[in-house]
Amino acid sequence: AVLMCRGKATQDFKGPDCRFVNFKKGEAVYVYYKLIGKSTELWAGSVGSDFGYFPKDLLEINHNYSNEELELPTDVSLVIF
């Protein structure tokens, strides 16, 4: 997966089921996929070692990686600042 951008959660989020990732306000969120089509409000990414969907409106983007096309192994815990 290509890491697209990093953001900071603007509020707490608890998803409705296991496909979603939960986070607390201020946590770093790493975005891998921006969904297109019906689910344009959802992005997929990781918080710590958890991966899942979350509403894009809850993220304040503070770094874009997409121009760098940064590739990361999926089994590495992502702590990049």
Side-chain angles (χ1 to χ4, degrees), residues 1-5 13 15 17-23 27-35 42-55 72-78:
V2 176
L3 182 59
M4 297 182 73
C5 58
F13 172 68
D17 60 47
C18 64
R19 293 172 302 165
F20 290 80
V21 65
N22 301 328
F23 48 72
E27 280 193 297
V29 181
Y30 296 89
V31 181
Y32 288 90
Y33 303 103
K34 295 179 178 180
L35 305 185
L42 291 179
W43 285 355
S46 64
V47 179
S49 59
D50 297 326
F51 186 89
Y53 298 113
F54 57 89
L72 289 175
T74 52
D75 59 346
V76 172
S77 180
L78 301 174

Side-chain angles (χ1 to χ4, degrees), residues 52-80:
Y53 298 113
F54 57 89
K56 67 178 184 184
D57 298 343
L58 302 186
L59 203 61
E60 177 187 302
I61 301 300
N62 46 29
H63 192 84
N64 278 301
Y65 295 103
S66 53
N67 294 339
E68 303 168 32
E69 292 293 308
L70 181 62
E71 296 271 353
L72 289 175
T74 52
D75 59 346
V76 172
S77 180
L78 301 174
V79 186
I80 302 168

